[in-house]
Amino acid sequence: MTSHLKIDFVSDVSCPWCAVGLGSLEAALRRLAPDVTAELHFQPFELNPQMPPEGQDTFEHLNQKYGSTREQQAQAREMIRQRGAEVGFEFSPEGRPRIYNTFDAHRLLHWAELESPAKQAALKKLLLKAYFTDRQNPSDPDVLVRAATEAGLDAARAREILASDEYANETRERERMYTDAGIHSVPAIIINDHHLISGGQPVEVFERALRQIAGAQPSTVVTA
């Protein structure tokens, strides 16, 4: 008997562990197919909602936030790069040069979901690639429109949205809904509105949890 899951993937396009977690989740779903199928919906979460348009140097930002040295950041970057490679995601060895505001990216993802969950998923992955692989600015309208077009969305409509405040209220409402529900770190993967898997877990952890949930096991909470 096939089980179909609704998965809300709460994340930010500037979160490296979200790229790792998404790769792991998709790998787990491939292992479980065709017995378990799923439809993914990407929900907004901003790691740095107060970030100005020009962004901030990555080392400076992480040093201020965590007190990490350049050596510590390099070690963390290499660990994440290796975890990404294990699930088929390529992180640039040089890392991301700056941290940017991602609100417009989330507005575009909100629109993409209304068009098609499959196109939203494609856009999400393209934005993660643009930032972490190609070291591009995910707040740049040209980068956003290019990704939307590659995902099969209408370029003119994407530019129209970005030039306005369209979907701003809806995006903020969803952000508040998840933070009010206790989501304060990402990725947070919510399955069937009831089960939570937290963090960029290995493929095996996702596979085991999804198998239990699909088999109607009791509430599952998995944290990093």
Side-chain angles (χ1 to χ4, degrees):
M1 180 177 178
T2 299
S3 295
H4 185 73
L5 304 175
K6 171 180 175 282
I7 301 179
D8 290 294
F9 194 93
V10 186
S11 61
D12 196 353
V13 298
S14 67
C15 164
W17 285 109
C18 295
V20 172
L22 178 57
S24 293
L25 173 63
E26 291 189 322
L29 287 169
R30 286 193 295 271
R31 289 184 183 182
L32 294 170
D35 296 329
V36 177
T37 62
E39 183 172 274
L40 270 67
H41 298 267
F42 293 90
Q43 306 295 355
F45 187 98
E46 291 180 83
L47 289 172
N48 301 287
Q50 306 305 320
M51 186 64 65
E54 69 273 12
Q56 184 181 20
D57 175 79
T58 299
F59 167 73
E60 179 183 277
H61 176 80
L62 296 176
N63 177 260
Q64 289 177 359
K65 193 170 185 178
Y66 303 112
S68 54
T69 65
R70 289 189 185 277
E71 182 180 37
Q72 289 170 331
Q73 290 185 26
Q75 290 172 347
R77 189 164 60 243
E78 176 58 20
M79 179 185 66
I80 292 171
R81 189 193 67 78
Q82 291 178 11
R83 285 289 307 277
E86 290 171 4
V87 293
F89 187 87
E90 180 184 354
F91 284 94
S92 168
E94 295 83 11
R96 44 195 171 146
R98 297 183 73 78
I99 308 292
Y100 292 101
N101 187 291
T102 56
F103 186 67
D104 281 347
H106 288 301
R107 288 199 298 125
L108 213 58
L109 284 161
H110 182 93
W111 163 62
E113 182 187 24
L114 298 176
E115 294 290 309
S116 157
K119 290 181 180 179
Q120 187 200 36
L123 177 59
K124 179 72 171 188
K125 288 188 274 192
L126 286 164
L127 290 175
L128 289 169
K129 178 182 181 295
Y131 187 44
F132 290 110
T133 307
D134 303 331
R135 306 178 83 223
Q136 296 176 351
N137 176 358
S139 67
D140 183 335
D142 290 336
V143 172
L144 292 169
V145 171
R146 190 159 54 245
T149 304
E150 193 172 340
L153 295 156
D154 183 74
R157 179 73 179 113
R159 285 198 182 278
E160 180 183 15
I161 291 166
L162 293 170
S164 71
D165 289 329
E166 200 167 354
Y167 301 122
N169 290 337
E170 294 89 339
T171 299
R172 290 193 178 97
E173 284 174 9
R174 284 204 185 178
E175 287 179 331
R176 282 194 297 270
M177 181 180 77
Y178 287 105
T179 55
D180 289 349
I183 302 298
H184 299 295
S185 63
V186 288
I189 299 92
I190 303 166
I191 300 146
N192 291 345
D193 300 316
H194 192 58
H195 309 272
L196 172 67
I197 305 174
S198 180
Q201 300 288 345
V203 177
E204 293 74 19
V205 172
F206 276 112
E207 182 182 4
R208 185 167 59 250
L210 293 173
R211 194 182 299 278
Q212 291 174 349
I213 293 165
Q217 296 289 331
S219 296
T220 301
V221 177
V222 180
T223 59

